[in-house]
C-alpha cells in the first residue's frame, strides 16, 4: 500500500523502463515526457543493443532507483492511513440506511486477551479429561502471536497454512504442528502450490462433503488453531502415530463444548471486568443512531443471560430501550436459511414461553426463529438495512447474496495492521520492494551472463525483503490481508460479502449519518492511474488522517 500512496511517481521510479527513447535534443521521451533513462508504464521494454558494460549499467539503474525511492518516503509519510477510518468495497450512502443490525461478540462487545487463554486452557483440559488425550499436553500454553484469522487447515494432512485469493499456498507459511514445512515438501505434497477448488473449504469455510480444507474465519478460532498445532506438535515430537482427522474432530468438539456447555459464558460473567473491554464506545454509537431516528436490532448466537449481563456492563441497564428487536441463540448461519424454526419469547427469568409470536416487540428478547419470519414480522427488507458482524460467512454472506441487505464487517486486526503500515520502517521497506520488483520486471530482457548474475542477486534481495515484510505483521503467517503480492483468500471473501469494513463500531462516530462511502477506483492491471484520482483525494481515495480530522 505504500507504493499506492506514492502514486504514479513511484511507479515511474520503480523500474518500469520506457520503451520509447528520448529525443536527443530534448532528453525527453516523446510519449510520456519523462527524462531519458527514467521509467514509465506505457509499454514493455524492447531489447536493444546493450551498453558495453552491463554490470555498470544495471547497478547504475539500481542505485538511481534506490535514491529516488528514498526521496519519496517523506511524501508517503505525509499521507498516512487513519486506523479509525471506514473502508468501502461498494458505494453506500448512510442516508439510505433506516435500520441497523448487529451481532454481539466482537461487534458490540470486545474481549480482552485473557479470553483466548481461557478458551485454549478449557478446551485442552476437555481433550485430556473427556477425550483421554495425554496429560502431557498441559505443558503447552496459548501463544497469542502464533496464528492469524483466515488460515486454512488441511484436515487429512494436519497442516495449517495461508492461501491467497487464487487458491495458491503462500510458501513459508505451511505449519505442521509448530514447525514450518519446507517449501519443497509442500510442493511435492500438492503437486505445486495450488489447491484445487474441490479441495477448498465449503461456502461457510467448513470441511465437508469431500472438502479437505477448513478455513478459520472468526476471532474465536484463534485458540482452536493454536490448540490443533500444539497437540500435533506433541504427537510428532513424541513419535505417536495418530489419525489427523480424529484429532481435528476432537479439538473442534472440545472448542465447541467450551461454548455450548457454558464454560466460557460462566467465566466471563463471573469476572466481567477481566474479560470485556469497555473502551469501544458502543453506547455512544447506539445513542447517535437512536438520536437520528434509526431503528436497531440485535441477532446473536450467544445466550440471553450472557448478552444481558454484557450489555448492561458496556451500555447500561436500559440497553434494551435502544433496540427494537433482540434475538438470542439464533444459530447463525442456519438462522438465515432455515424457514422452519419459529421464534420463542424469553421472559425476565430466562424461561422460554409457549406463546405464538405474531409480532416482535421492543424491550422483549426472542430466541431462535429464522430470517424469513423476521422479514415478515418487521418488513425490514433490502438495502435500507445495514448489518454488522465479525464473521464474514456466518454473519454477512447470506444477507448480501440472498436478501440484499447492506453489510459491514468488523475487523479488529485492521487497526493494528494500519498502524504498522504507517511506520517509516514499513514504508521504506515496501516502497523499495515495489521498486526492486519493477527493476526486475523490465531488466529481465538482458540475457547475457553478467546481467543474469546481477538479476539473481536482486531476486535474492527481493525474497529476503518479502520475508521481512511478512514479519512486520506475524512471524509465521504475515498480514491478514495479503500474501506476498496477492490478496489473501480472507480478503477475497471480505471484498465480496462486506460493503464496508472497519476496526470497530466506534469508527462510525467519525462520520455524519448521511455520509456516502465511495470505494477507491483502484487501477486494474491494464489501467493507468488517472490524474483526477490523485488530484481529488491524494491518491486513489484513501482516507487520510488529515481528511478524517474534518469529519469529526
Amino acid at each position: 500500500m505504500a507504493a499506492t500512496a506514492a502514486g504514479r511517481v513511484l511507479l515511474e521510479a520503480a523500474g518500469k523502463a520506457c520503451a520509447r527513447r528520448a529525443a536527443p535534443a530534448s532528453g525527453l521521451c516523446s510519449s510520456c515526457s519523462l527524462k531519458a533513462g527514467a521509467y514509465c508504464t506505457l509499454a514493455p521494454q524492447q531489447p536493444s543493443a546493450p551498453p558495453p558494460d552491463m554490470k555498470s549499467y544495471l547497478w547504475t539503474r539500481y542505485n538511481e532507483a534506490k535514491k529516488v525511492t528514498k526521496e519519496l518516503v517523506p511524501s508517503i509519510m505525509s499521507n498516512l492511513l487513519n486506523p479509525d477510518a471506514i473502508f468501502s468495497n461498494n458505494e453506500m450512502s448512510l442516508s439510505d440506511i433506516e435500520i441497523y443490525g448487529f451481532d454481539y461478540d466482537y461487534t458490540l462487545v470486545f474481549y480482552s486477551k485473557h479470553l483466548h487463554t481461557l478458551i485454549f486452557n478449557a478446551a485442552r483440559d476437555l481433550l485430556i479429561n473427556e477425550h483421554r488425550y495425554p496429560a502431557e499436553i498441559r505443558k503447552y500454553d496459548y501463544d497469542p502471536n502464533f496464528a492469524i484469522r483466515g488460515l486454512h487447515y488441511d484436515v487429512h494432512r494436519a497442516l495449517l497454512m495461508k492461501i491467497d485469493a487464487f487458491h495458491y499456498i503462500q510458501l513459508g507459511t505451511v505449519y505442521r504442528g509448530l514447525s514450518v514445512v519446507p517449501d519443497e515438501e509442500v510442493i511435492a505434497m500438492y503437486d505445486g502450490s495450488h489447491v484445487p477448488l474441490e479441495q477448498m473449504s465449503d461456502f461457510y469455510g467448513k470441511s465437508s462433503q469431500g472438502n479437505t480444507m477448513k478455513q478459520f474465519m472468526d476471532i474465536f478460532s484463534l485458540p482452536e488453531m493454536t490448540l490443533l498445532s500444539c497437540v500435533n506438535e506433541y504427537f510428532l515430537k513424541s513419535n505417536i502415530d495418530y489419525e489427523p482427522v480424529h484429532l481435528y474432530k476432537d479439538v473442534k468438539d472440545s472448542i465447541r463444548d467450551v461454548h455450548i456447555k457454558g464454560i466460557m459464558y460462566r467465566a466471563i460473567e463471573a469476572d466481567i471486568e477481566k474479560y470485556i473491554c469497555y473502551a469501544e464506545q458502543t453506547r455512544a454509537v447506539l445513542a447517535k443512531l437512536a438520536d437520528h431516528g434509526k431503528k436497531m436490532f440485535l441477532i446473536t448466537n450467544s445466550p440471553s443471560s450472557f448478552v444481558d449481563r454484557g450489555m448492561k456492563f458496556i451500555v447500561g441497564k436500559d440497553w434494551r430501550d435502544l433496540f427494537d428487536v433482540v434475538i438470542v441463540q439464533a444459530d447463525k448461519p442456519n438462522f438465515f436459511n432455515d424457514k422452519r424454526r419459529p421464534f420463542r419469547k424469553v421472559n425476565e427469568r430466562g424461561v422460554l414461553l409457549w406463546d405464538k409470536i405474531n409480532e416482535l416487540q421492543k424491550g422483549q428478547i426472542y430466541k431462535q426463529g429464522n430470517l424469513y419470519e423476521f422479514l415478515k414480522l418487521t418488513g425490514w427488507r433490502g438495502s435500507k438495512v445495514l448489518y454488522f458482524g465479525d464473521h464474514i460467512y456466518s454473519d454477512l454472506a447470506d444477507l448480501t447474496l440472498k436478501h440484499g441487505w447492506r453489510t459491514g464487517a468488523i475487523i479488529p486486526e485492521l487497526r493494528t495492521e494500519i498502524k504498522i503500515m504507517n511506520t517509516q520502517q514499513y514504508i521504506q521497506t515496501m516502497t523499495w520492494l515495489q521498486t526492486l520488483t519493477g527493476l526486475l520486471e523490465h531488466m529481465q530482457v538482458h540475457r547475457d551472463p553478467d546481467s543474469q548474475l546481477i538479476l539473481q542477486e536482486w531476486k535474492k534481495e527481493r525474497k529476503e525483503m518479502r520475508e521481512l515484510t511478512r514479519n512486520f505483521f506475524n512471524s509465521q503467517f504475515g498480514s491478514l490481508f495479503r500474501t506476498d503480492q496477492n490478496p489473501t483468500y480472507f480478503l477475497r471473501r471480505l471484498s465480496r460479502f462486506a460493503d464496508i469494513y472497519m476496526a470497530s463500531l466506534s469508527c462510525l462516530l467519525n462520520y455524519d449519518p448521511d455520509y456516502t462511502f465511495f470505494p477507491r477506483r483502484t487501477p486494474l492491471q491494464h489501467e493507468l492511474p488517472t490524474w483526477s484520482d490523485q488530484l481529488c483525494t491524494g491518491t486513489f481515495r484513501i482516507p487520510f488522517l488529515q481528511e478524517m480530522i474534518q469529519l469529526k
Side-chain angles (χ1 to χ4, degrees), residues 440-490:
L440 280 166
E441 180 181 358
H442 287 271
M443 294 302 175
Q444 64 182 314
V445 296
H446 301 295
R447 299 295 182 182
D448 59 282
D450 286 344
S451 297
Q452 287 299 305
L453 284 174
I454 293 172
L455 291 175
Q456 289 302 317
E457 192 172 337
W458 291 358
K459 288 178 181 178
K460 181 181 177 182
E461 180 184 357
R462 179 173 180 260
K463 181 179 179 182
E464 292 171 351
M465 293 187 66
R466 290 168 86 168
E467 292 174 356
L468 177 62
T469 57
R470 182 178 72 198
N471 292 339
F472 279 122
F473 301 100
N474 176 282
S475 298
Q476 292 73 234
F477 303 101
S479 168
L480 175 64
F481 304 101
R482 276 202 179 274
T483 57
D484 287 323
Q485 73 280 340
N486 290 331
T488 57
Y489 195 86
F490 177 91

Side-chain angles (χ1 to χ4, degrees), residues 20 67 82 98 110 136 171 184 202 204 220 261 297 309 344 350 373 377 386 401 436 489-491 495 497 538:
R20 301 167 178 85
K67 180 177 181 293
N82 183 0
E98 300 174 11
F110 280 72
E136 287 80 5
L171 297 176
E184 55 272 18
D202 67 12
Y204 295 106
F220 282 128
K261 291 186 176 181
F297 65 92
R309 181 75 188 278
R344 297 190 69 175
E373 190 70 12
L377 295 175
L386 171 58
L401 292 178
L436 185 60
Y489 195 86
F490 177 91
L491 182 61
S495 301
F497 299 140

